[in-house]
């Protein structure tokens, strides 16, 4: 194969390197190479993958789009012409790019061309969008990932078997991945190796194949070379810690004359004061603390002299994941301190922090280091002052025992971490938010839920195993639901609220099964020790707690305290699915406000006419009904004179005979409605 030097382009290249799709709905993967013009390896890797896809024609769920970044700088083989294109994605910069005549630098045209390719595709219906930004470094060292610390980013990055670096978005502003990550998309950066090392292209190619399989676009069995790509990444990523957090960035400003002393490599351990670099005026630059060296600058252009990181131990990583899934949160208060050189503090830039979760009032406030990103789970330094942060008022909020125990656990961990000799950081989580657009204007089409349902709901049941392969897309939809607060919900129409709660119920029933799959019955997830599954508070919508206590909701609460009493429509019993054989089938699309009445009519007609659930025996003058009509008889009698009258309304053919028919109720099967078992 050619090295990156041999393959480096000598003239501008096309913006769109290529795309591939089989026409099926699913995940959109946007691959970017060459955002820095001296880093063409990602472009060559993307071309390799596209060539293989076109030759082999595998079935793809979703689409791949590969784009070239700074085409003018690529032609000249330099990082940028006027401005670093990967530092131009702040809200202000993107707004300027969208305005006519905003060409304040040559990179602005490059940015505008990228937006023109990306944004129309984001407006389409995808179960998830994943950005993969392929880079290389000027120093020696193995490939590694750089991600914002969200669970959906972790899930993809850790599957690559490369070292994962968390916290870049806290240290570097204006990156493309930061921009789209803040919108709720998966955003993964990969440093494939040294610029001129031919293995860098190989690493990027293997990363791209792995992402396409991990994100569910391709099936491993369709890729004969997949095992080789996985082995390549495992070999390349062996040695450094699996996960690190960034602790320090040495910023380089124009005119500094920064010079890194030779011989340093990525992941090299350094002691406090050991690192050597220089600047104009004879200034000596040393490591301000011990750590692991990352991305030392050995090129003429660049704003980052070097980074220092520290290993994140698996215990803390798993703990933070657990706390996030429990939906614990905290109000994060920025500590006073000096902003990075040349930049005002983030909170001074007019971008309000995302709202704290209701559980925050039960947790002690935690000071957030200067520059930490809004609304994300952060690695919060708990050095000293933990007792000062413990407010006695936090114990005065009314909580049930489970919330109190969770709050106490989080507080105890904060104190424990503050006294640890190595200055461990506690990973304090908040709910990962949906895109800002979902918060400002909720997507009442529930397009992402529809995409999942159409893919995994079959006439003979639900493909829970398939749902389990679409976890990133599933998380994306659940995050949209969780972003809704009470004022927003109360501003919706009745139909919008009704559709929302039906979809919330169904999505969380499916997710419950997926998280415990395989299981014989949903009732097996309850038990005498922990109570019925319907009473477990598994739905993380504390803002919408009907009792106003800020607690998570149970499926029983949604059904019996929200759906039935508020909307008073017995058709809901054919719309919600309890993951059981005797339950009405799950509609293979989301319920939506503009078609809600027609959808409810359709599912009730189908339920009544389904002989496996309701047998209308005209010859025997008997109707054998689902136990649902018995359990919720008062709902059906409210909407009609009797259960018979209700069934008559939705029965097929000539139903008049039902008025005098005998009524018998059928046994109810709680066996899982698993398509894989049929």
């Amino acid at each position: 194969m050619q090295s990156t030097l041999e393959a480096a382009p000598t003239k501008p290249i096309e913006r769109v390197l290529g795309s591939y799709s089989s026409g099926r709905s699913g995940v959109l993967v946007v691959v970017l190479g060459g955002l820095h013009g001296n880093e063409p390896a990602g472009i060559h890797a993307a071309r390799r993958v596209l060539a293989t896809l076109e030759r082999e024609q595998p079935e793809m769920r979703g689409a791949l789009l590969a784009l070239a970044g700074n085409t003018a700088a690529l032609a000249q083989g330099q990082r940028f012409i006027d401005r670093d294109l990967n530092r131009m994605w702040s809200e202000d910069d993107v707004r300027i790019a969208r305005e006519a005549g905003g060409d304040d630098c040559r990179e602005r045209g490059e940015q505008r061309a990228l937006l023109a390719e990306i944004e129309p595709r984001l407006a389409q219906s995808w179960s998830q969008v994943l950005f993969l930004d392929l880079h290389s470094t000027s120093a020696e060292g193995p490939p590694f990932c750089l991600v914002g610390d969200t669970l959906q980013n972790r899930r993809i990055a850790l599957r690559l078997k490369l070292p994962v670096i968390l916290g870049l978005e806290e240290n570097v502003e204006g990156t493309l991945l930061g921009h789209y990550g803040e919108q709720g998309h998966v955003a993964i950066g990969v440093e494939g190796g040294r610029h001129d090392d031919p293995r860098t292209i190989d690493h990027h190619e293997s990363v791209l194949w792995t992402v396409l399989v991990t994100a569910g676009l391709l099936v491993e069995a369709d890729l004969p070379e997949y095992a080789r790509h996985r082995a390549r990444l495992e070999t390349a990523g062996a040695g450094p810690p699996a996960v690190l957090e960034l602790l320090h960035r040495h910023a380089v400003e124009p005119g500094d004359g920064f010079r890194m002393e030779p011989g340093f490599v990525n992941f090299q351990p350094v002691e406090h004061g050991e690192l050597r670099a220089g600047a104009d005026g004879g200034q000596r630059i040393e490591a301000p603390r011990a750590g692991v060296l990352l991305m030392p600058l050995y090129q003429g252009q660049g704003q980052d002299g070097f980074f220092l990181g520290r290993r994140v131990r698996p215990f803390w990583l798993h703990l933070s994941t657990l706390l996030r899934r429990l939906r614990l949160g905290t109000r994060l208060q920025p500590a006073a301190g000096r902003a990075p050189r040349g930049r005002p503090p983030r909170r001074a830039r007019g971008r309000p922090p995302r709202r704290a979760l209701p559980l925050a009032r039960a947790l002690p406030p935690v000071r957030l280091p200067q520059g930490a990103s809004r609304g994300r789970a952060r690695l919060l330094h708990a050095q000293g002052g933990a007792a000062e942060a413990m407010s006695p008022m936090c114990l005065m909020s009314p909580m049930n025992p489970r919330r109190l125990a969770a709050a106490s656990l989080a507080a105890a961990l904060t104190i424990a971490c503050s006294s640890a000799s190595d200055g461990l950081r506690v990973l304090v989580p908040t709910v990962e938010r949906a895109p800002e657009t979902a918060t400002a204007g909720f997507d009442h089409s529930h397009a992402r839920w529809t995409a999942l349902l159409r893919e995994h709901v079959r006439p003979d049941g639900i493909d829970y195993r398939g749902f389990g392969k679409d976890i990133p897309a599933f998380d994306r939809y659940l995050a949209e639901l969780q972003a809704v607060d009470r004022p927003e919900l109360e501003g919706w129409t009745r139909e919008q609220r009704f559709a929302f709660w039906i979809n919330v119920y169904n999505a969380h029933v499916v997710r419950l099964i997926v998280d415990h799959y395989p299981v014989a019955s949903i009732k097996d997830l309850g038990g005498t020790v922990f109570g019925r599954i319907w009473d477990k508070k598994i739905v993380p919508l504390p803002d919408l707690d009907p009792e106003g206590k800020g607690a998570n909701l149970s499926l029983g609460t949604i059904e019996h305290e929200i759906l039935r009493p508020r909307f008073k429509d017995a058709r809901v019993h054919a719309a919600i699915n309890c993951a059981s054989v005797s339950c009405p089938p799950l509609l293979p699309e989301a319920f939506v406000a503009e078609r809600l009445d027609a959808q409810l009519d359709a599912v009730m007609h189908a339920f009544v006419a389904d002989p496996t659930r309701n047998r209308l025996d005209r010859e025997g003058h008997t109707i054998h009904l689902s136990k649902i009509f018995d359990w919720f008889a008062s709902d059906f009698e409210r909407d009609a004179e009797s259960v018979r009258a209700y069934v008559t309304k939705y029965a097929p053919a000539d139903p008049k005979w039902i008025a005098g028919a005998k009524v018998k109720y059928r046994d109810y099967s709680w066996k899982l409605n698993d398509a894989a078992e049929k």
Side-chain angles (χ1 to χ4, degrees):
M1 61 170 282
Q2 291 181 303
S3 72
T4 54
L5 289 177
E6 293 169 337
T10 57
K11 61 181 180 180
I13 60 176
E14 294 294 324
R15 179 75 52 197
V16 179
L17 301 173
S19 61
Y20 183 84
S21 174
S22 300
R24 299 182 63 187
S25 63
V27 177
L28 171 65
V29 172
V30 180
V31 180
L32 295 114
L35 275 181
H36 294 139
N38 62 334
E39 303 175 17
I43 289 176
H44 307 310
R47 284 173 169 164
R48 283 187 189 174
V49 171
L50 287 165
T52 301
L53 290 172
E54 291 297 333
R55 182 176 66 252
E56 303 296 333
Q57 292 289 306
E59 184 78 8
M60 177 176 283
R61 287 192 316 176
L64 169 67
L65 172 67
L67 300 174
N70 195 338
T71 58
L74 282 162
Q76 298 186 28
Q78 62 188 60
R79 185 179 176 93
F80 57 84
I81 306 298
D82 297 323
R83 278 187 66 187
D84 189 330
L85 182 57
N86 203 29
R87 300 294 186 274
M88 294 173 57
W89 296 86
S90 68
E91 288 182 356
D92 289 342
D93 268 314
V94 173
R95 175 182 52 77
I96 292 171
R98 289 177 175 140
E99 294 174 351
D103 293 333
D104 54 333
C105 63
R106 276 174 284 187
E107 270 73 21
R108 191 67 72 192
E110 303 282 347
Q111 182 182 30
R112 186 175 290 115
L114 285 171
L115 288 168
E117 296 295 339
I118 294 171
E119 300 210 333
R121 290 173 170 86
L122 295 186
Q124 299 172 17
S125 179
W126 305 102
S127 60
Q128 185 180 56
V129 178
L130 187 154
F131 285 85
L132 181 63
D133 189 11
L134 304 178
H135 287 267
S136 54
T137 67
S138 58
E140 290 281 358
F144 56 92
C145 299
L146 291 156
V147 300
D149 191 17
T150 69
L151 292 184
Q152 59 180 4
N153 284 349
R154 284 189 195 177
R155 192 174 293 113
I156 299 295
L158 291 172
R159 290 292 302 275
L160 298 178
K161 302 300 183 182
L162 300 177
V164 176
I165 315 299
L166 305 176
L168 179 69
E169 75 286 3
E170 295 179 8
N171 290 272
V172 178
E173 293 185 343
T175 65
L176 182 144
L177 291 183
H179 172 68
Y180 287 111
E182 283 290 329
Q183 295 182 30
H185 304 302
V186 179
I188 308 291
V190 176
E191 299 284 351
R194 198 184 67 235
H195 298 327
D196 57 353
D197 187 337
R199 294 174 298 178
T200 302
I201 302 176
D202 297 336
H203 295 154
H204 281 323
E205 180 187 9
S206 296
V207 163
L208 186 45
W209 285 118
T210 303
V211 166
L212 291 174
V213 171
T214 302
L217 285 83
L218 296 176
V219 177
E220 180 179 344
D222 292 340
L223 305 175
E225 296 293 307
Y226 186 70
R228 181 173 62 87
H229 290 296
R230 298 291 293 146
R232 174 186 287 162
L233 294 182
E234 290 188 20
T235 300
V243 181
L244 298 95
E245 53 165 323
L246 289 183
L247 300 176
H248 173 77
R249 167 183 176 254
H250 180 81
V252 175
E253 299 291 340
D256 277 358
F258 176 86
R259 295 179 301 278
M260 193 83 198
E261 289 192 3
F264 289 102
V265 298
N266 284 311
F267 297 99
Q268 178 177 336
V270 296
E271 298 297 329
H272 179 218
E274 177 185 348
L275 183 68
R276 295 290 186 273
D280 289 348
Q283 177 186 1
R284 282 170 55 88
I285 300 170
E286 299 178 347
R289 62 180 302 157
V292 177
L293 180 65
L294 295 166
M295 293 178 282
L297 185 66
Y298 288 114
Q299 59 190 27
Q301 294 177 310
Q303 297 172 274
D304 312 311
F306 59 86
F307 294 86
L308 294 176
R310 177 173 56 188
R311 177 189 178 192
V312 176
R313 298 185 183 275
F315 170 79
W316 299 107
L317 201 66
H318 297 324
L319 175 63
S320 72
T321 300
L322 171 64
L323 292 177
R324 293 187 198 198
R325 287 174 178 166
L326 289 173
R327 302 303 178 187
L328 296 179
T330 183
R331 287 192 178 94
L332 305 181
Q333 300 175 350
R338 184 172 63 86
R341 181 172 56 170
R343 293 186 179 91
R346 273 181 170 242
R347 290 291 298 278
R349 301 183 74 164
R351 299 171 67 181
R354 289 173 177 171
R355 60 182 177 84
L357 297 174
L359 184 56
R361 58 178 177 264
L363 296 177
V366 180
R367 287 202 176 100
L368 182 64
Q370 179 64 46
S373 181
R374 309 179 285 114
R376 299 285 184 189
R378 290 294 158 244
L379 303 173
L380 301 180
H381 206 159
Q383 291 178 341
E388 176 186 353
M390 290 287 294
S391 169
M393 294 300 294
C394 74
L395 300 178
M396 298 177 64
S397 299
M399 292 183 293
N400 62 34
R402 185 175 298 178
R403 281 171 55 81
L404 181 58
S408 301
L409 171 64
L413 287 170
T414 304
I415 295 173
C417 291
S418 71
S419 61
S421 59
D422 60 352
L424 289 175
R425 297 184 173 200
V426 60
L427 294 151
V428 180
T430 60
V431 174
E432 294 173 21
R433 296 294 304 276
E436 299 294 344
T437 53
T439 302
F442 182 78
D443 178 15
H444 288 286
S445 73
H446 297 268
R448 292 180 176 86
W449 183 225
T450 290
L452 287 167
L453 292 170
R454 288 177 177 171
E455 188 68 30
H456 302 301
V457 174
R458 302 176 182 173
D460 60 342
I462 298 173
D463 180 12
Y464 292 106
R465 186 177 288 110
F467 262 111
K469 296 176 182 178
D470 264 342
I471 289 297
F474 211 154
D475 282 348
R476 181 78 176 80
Y477 176 65
L478 294 180
E480 283 192 357
L481 300 178
Q482 293 157 20
V484 176
D485 57 22
R486 187 178 298 277
E488 181 178 11
L489 183 74
E490 291 176 349
W492 295 349
T493 66
R494 176 188 180 277
E495 288 72 22
Q496 288 171 336
R497 286 182 277 116
F498 198 1
F500 172 82
W501 283 115
I502 293 172
N503 292 327
V504 165
Y505 186 97
N506 287 336
H508 283 90
V509 166
V510 172
R511 185 53 181 265
L512 175 68
I513 299 300
V514 169
D515 286 346
H516 295 85
Y517 190 85
V519 63
S521 169
I522 189 172
K523 295 182 73 175
D524 293 344
L525 304 179
T528 58
V529 176
F530 299 103
R532 300 189 318 150
I533 188 61
W534 320 111
D535 299 327
K536 289 190 174 183
K537 296 184 180 296
I538 63 171
V539 182
L541 295 174
D543 278 4
L544 308 183
D545 178 6
E547 297 183 4
K549 295 180 180 179
N552 286 350
L553 309 184
S554 68
L555 295 171
T557 296
I558 295 173
E559 181 177 5
H560 304 304
E561 297 181 33
I562 297 175
L563 283 170
R564 292 178 61 210
R566 293 187 184 179
F567 299 101
K568 293 181 171 60
D569 190 330
R571 293 178 297 177
V572 74
H573 295 295
I576 58 176
N577 184 275
C578 61
S580 303
V581 168
S582 290
C583 196
L586 185 60
L587 189 69
E589 65 175 1
F591 287 87
V592 293
E594 62 269 20
R595 294 188 290 112
L596 184 60
D597 188 62
Q599 287 178 312
L600 291 173
D601 263 348
V603 293
M604 183 53 77
H605 276 294
F607 178 53
V608 170
D610 184 349
T612 66
R613 294 171 172 88
N614 296 282
R615 186 165 62 88
L616 309 181
D617 181 8
R618 186 166 186 171
E619 292 184 2
H621 208 65
T622 303
I623 54 175
H624 303 264
L625 300 181
S626 165
K627 286 289 286 185
I628 290 174
F629 286 103
D630 184 23
W631 293 332
F632 304 107
S634 61
D635 291 355
F636 298 107
E637 291 166 355
R638 181 198 60 223
D639 293 358
E641 294 180 357
S642 64
V643 169
R644 288 186 186 87
Y646 195 95
V647 172
T648 299
K649 181 178 179 181
Y650 291 96
D654 180 11
K656 294 180 180 179
W657 65 272
I658 294 176
K662 295 178 182 179
V663 178
K664 292 185 178 181
Y665 294 104
R666 310 182 72 172
D667 291 338
Y668 202 88
S669 172
W670 289 99
K671 180 181 177 182
L672 188 70
N673 57 348
D674 188 359
E677 299 298 324
K678 299 179 180 179

